[in-house]
Amino acid sequence: MHPRRWTEFAIESLIRVLGLSSIGFVLLIFLFLLKEGLPAFLEIPPENLLGTRWYPTFDLFGTLPLILGSLLVTATAISIALPLGVATAVFVREVAPGWARELLKPMIEVLAGIPSVVLGFFGMTVLAPLVRETLDAPTGLTAFTGGLVLAYMALPTIISVAEDALDAVPKSYRDAGLAMGATQWQTIWRVVVPAARSGILTAVMLGMGRAIGETMAVMMVTGNAARMPLTLDSLFRPVRTMTATIAAEMGEVARGSTHYHVLFGIGIILFVITFLLNLIAAGAIFKKRRRGGLR
Amino acid sequence: MNRRYLVQRIGFALLGLAALLVVVPILLVVGTIVIRGATAVNWEFLTAMPRDGMKAGGILPAIVGTLLLTLGTALAAIPVGVGGAIYLAEYARDTWLTRLIRLAIINLAGIPSVVYGLFGLGLFVLFLQFGTSILAGSLTLAIMTLPVIISTAEEALRAVPTEFRTVILSLGGTRWQAVRYVVLPQAMPGIITGVILGLLRAAGETAPILFTVAAFYLPRLPRSPFDPTMALPYHLYVISTQVPGMPEEIQYGTALVLLALVLSMNVVATLIRSYYRRRREW
């Protein structure tokens, strides 16, 4: 074979390997989480792991308050970000005049670019005192404060995915609505948004994935008390999430100790949760591609 | 006025209100940090070592650390990411394997940043024995950045018209020659934009470097890739939560430097994109 052919063959093989590398990285990540985290599930009896008390110094590794803490903060974030994000997407796509659109787009890009630690810092120094004074509570570092900051971190994802979903609704749907004598508002509310609902569901999944995995901002504004958030006022009290626990404790833990393995175990739980959320979201994307007739 | 139009008015007003509720806090965050941080940022702050347990002096080692980490991330992530994108855009057919790759990329993008930190600790710091070092942190950040680079670069490559490739092939060129001499140069602005967007995320991340690079207080510059280093995001976390009695000015100043770094990268990416989009003739 001509030498030139050989170099080309080598380059193309390399590109193939690089293409496949993403699969390798996902497997590698899962493998190393298992390697360091599995011992936790073997060393600690399940009734301890699923207990309600997280006091690692007394060998109490109850992950339930951490899991519920993550869920509470995430649920708060989504219930703020979903209506706000979808409404903004509808505004940008359907209603806003050109100049408002040109202004909104870069603003949302700026929001997506702000590092999480900067938002956390703002949350700590400006938002938390505000929450404390408004509620007249002992501290402003609460699940609600965390949810509020997280909502804004999930917004860019939710807005852009919801915009794509609205974009995919054929113009003929809108024309049909208007031709029936419906107002533009009725068309948006009764035709366009329902037609985009699978895409909006994708937005929710991806937004939840972002929110549940967020670390720095959450750690800085939620107060980090590992208590069961069971009563109604838990929303306005400190909580601790899974991510914050890993970030706060991994630095001080002895390598190879039970506590170390449990932190990796929590990493496995986080990996599995976000994996499932993304799988559902990806499923919706693939389905939409197959059903090309709608476009 | 017809009642239906009244409802429409109210509906549109609510949508506008939602957009306002999204925008105003963004302006508040950026505005507060710029106004309160501006008084702290001067030449000494940017170029001096920290003194008095970080309560005085500058943040030079944190700035240098973040720049080095970003450089390391770029060196590792660009070849792998662009190579992966070339495979997906130019070579891959729609098989189950290709779908698996896409699924893997979606999942890489969704893995929490702190889990990347755990992975980096397990693989690079402990298993490969790089120690807490710039090398371990850069590689961790590089894997985290891959999905952004791959998907934006693939999009840029796919935007190049098919005819450009068929012309080369019809002249007797090979597929790789078409990629190397036509498609890649044409897609370059889009790829660069994607790379910058990926890197700015890496520059601002804290969780992945917590256990892989970050030094709490290290008032000297790193000498080799195996050294630990301070970094801007971690430094901001440290001085706002771990050090009691920290002057607020220094905290806001650090936040401003980090924000300015990240947002200026954002602006550069946007400018490159819009400049080449206007100049492009296809």
Side-chain angles (χ1 to χ4, degrees), chain B:
Chain B
M1 196 165 65
N2 192 326
R3 201 179 141 266
R4 297 191 311 154
Y5 287 94
L6 186 68
V7 172
Q8 166 154 317
R9 276 238 167 137
I10 296 169
F12 284 3
L14 285 175
L15 293 179
L17 184 70
L20 215 59
L21 280 175
V22 171
V23 171
V24 170
I26 304 173
L27 291 173
L28 266 176
V29 171
V30 176
T32 310
I33 287 170
V34 170
I35 291 167
R36 292 201 196 167
T39 50
V41 179
N42 52 37
W43 187 246
E44 194 211 344
F45 189 70
L46 296 175
T47 56
M49 293 288 165
R51 278 180 285 117
D52 300 342
M54 300 183 268
K55 289 188 183 118
I59 55 169
L60 180 68
I63 296 175
V64 171
T66 286
L67 293 179
L68 286 175
L69 277 172
T70 311
L71 180 72
T73 306
L75 289 179
I78 291 172
V80 179
V82 175
I86 292 176
Y87 176 74
L88 283 175
E90 305 294 326
Y91 291 94
R93 296 196 197 91
D94 191 18
T95 60
W96 63 269
L97 191 63
T98 310
R99 290 198 182 176
L100 203 62
I101 296 176
R102 293 193 188 286
L103 198 63
I105 293 171
I106 292 172
N107 279 301
L108 276 181
I111 293 175
S113 54
V114 73
V115 174
Y116 276 105
L118 288 177
F119 163 69
L121 172 68
L123 175 62
F124 299 122
V125 176
L126 299 177
F127 187 74
L128 296 176
Q129 299 188 341
F130 294 161
T132 41
S133 61
I134 296 176
L135 181 64
S138 298
L139 293 175
T140 309
L141 287 171
I143 297 180
M144 196 196 80
T145 314
L146 273 186
V148 182
I149 296 186
I150 294 179
S151 32
T152 45
E154 189 195 347
E155 207 177 303
L157 290 165
R158 280 190 188 278
V160 179
T162 321
E163 294 79 8
F164 284 38
R165 298 173 183 83
T166 44
V167 165
I168 299 293
L169 296 180
S170 68
L171 289 171
T174 61
R175 204 161 171 185
W176 169 247
Q177 284 174 325
V179 173
R180 166 76 181 76
Y181 296 105
V182 180
V183 182
L184 211 50
Q186 291 290 333
M188 201 44 84
I191 294 176
I192 293 173
T193 308
V195 166
I196 298 176
L197 288 177
L199 289 180
L200 79 88
R201 266 198 59 197
E205 274 290 352
T206 318
I209 61 172
L210 276 177
F211 338 117
T212 53
V213 207
F216 190 83
Y217 178 47
L218 190 71
R220 62 177 176 81
L221 299 182
R223 295 205 184 85
S224 91
F226 293 97
D227 277 355
T229 178
M230 295 174 80
L232 276 174
Y234 181 62
H235 186 63
L236 177 60
Y237 168 68
V238 165
I239 61 176
S240 55
T241 61
Q242 310 289 305
V243 186
M246 197 71 202
E248 201 172 65
E249 206 186 28
I250 292 192
Q251 297 174 343
Y252 273 100
T254 308
L256 176 57
V257 173
L258 176 58
L259 194 64
L261 177 78
V262 167
L263 291 187
S264 59
M265 283 169 81
N266 210 331
V267 170
V268 169
T270 314
L271 287 181
I272 292 177
R273 188 171 50 197
S274 59
Y275 176 74
Y276 281 98
R277 201 167 274 172
R278 258 185 289 117
R279 258 189 36 159
R280 188 164 73 187
E281 281 162 6
W282 37 275

Side-chain angles (χ1 to χ4, degrees), chain A residues 34-252:
Chain A
L34 284 183
K35 175 175 170 287
E36 304 286 339
L38 265 192
F41 298 101
L42 305 174
E43 280 169 25
I44 308 168
E47 63 267 25
N48 185 350
L49 269 182
L50 290 174
T52 58
R53 287 166 11 123
W54 174 265
Y55 294 113
T57 32
F58 301 106
D59 282 333
L60 288 173
F61 297 107
T63 51
L64 216 51
L66 313 179
I67 295 173
L68 290 180
S70 280
L71 290 182
L72 176 65
V73 176
T74 304
T76 312
I78 290 299
S79 48
I80 298 168
L82 179 65
L84 216 52
V86 172
T88 304
V90 171
F91 183 73
V92 170
R93 278 283 152 196
E94 312 281 332
V95 184
W99 61 265
R101 202 173 306 167
E102 294 303 311
L103 212 74
L104 270 164
K105 281 269 181 189
M107 289 299 290
I108 293 164
E109 270 180 39
V110 165
L111 178 61
I114 299 177
S116 112
V117 68
V118 172
L119 278 178
F121 173 68
F122 180 84
M124 256 179 70
T125 51
V126 179
L127 198 58
L130 209 67
V131 170
R132 191 190 60 215
E133 277 160 34
T134 319
L135 296 174
D136 197 20
T139 173
L141 301 174
T142 65
F144 174 74
T145 325
L148 197 58
V149 174
L150 271 190
Y152 278 84
M153 304 196 66
L155 269 176
T157 310
I158 292 184
I159 293 173
S160 86
V161 179
E163 267 189 57
D164 288 345
L166 292 169
D167 216 23
V169 176
K171 186 169 178 296
S172 57
Y173 282 33
R174 294 178 181 83
D175 294 343
L178 296 174
M180 300 280 281
T183 60
Q184 200 190 345
W185 169 255
Q186 287 171 321
T187 310
I188 293 171
W189 188 241
R190 307 269 168 116
V191 180
V192 179
V193 172
R197 69 174 172 263
S198 81
I200 291 172
L201 192 73
T202 309
V204 174
M205 293 297 156
L206 293 176
M208 270 175 74
R210 275 224 63 182
I212 209 161
E214 223 321 293
T215 312
M216 298 316 288
V218 169
M219 179 157 67
M220 292 164 86
V221 298
T222 52
N224 293 326
R227 51 189 294 283
M228 294 288 285
L230 291 179
T231 50
L232 268 179
D233 64 345
S234 297
L235 189 56
F236 299 107
R237 291 209 187 170
V239 285
R240 170 185 274 224
T241 64
M242 295 188 276
T243 50
T245 306
I246 299 175
E249 294 176 9
M250 185 50 95
E252 286 140 30

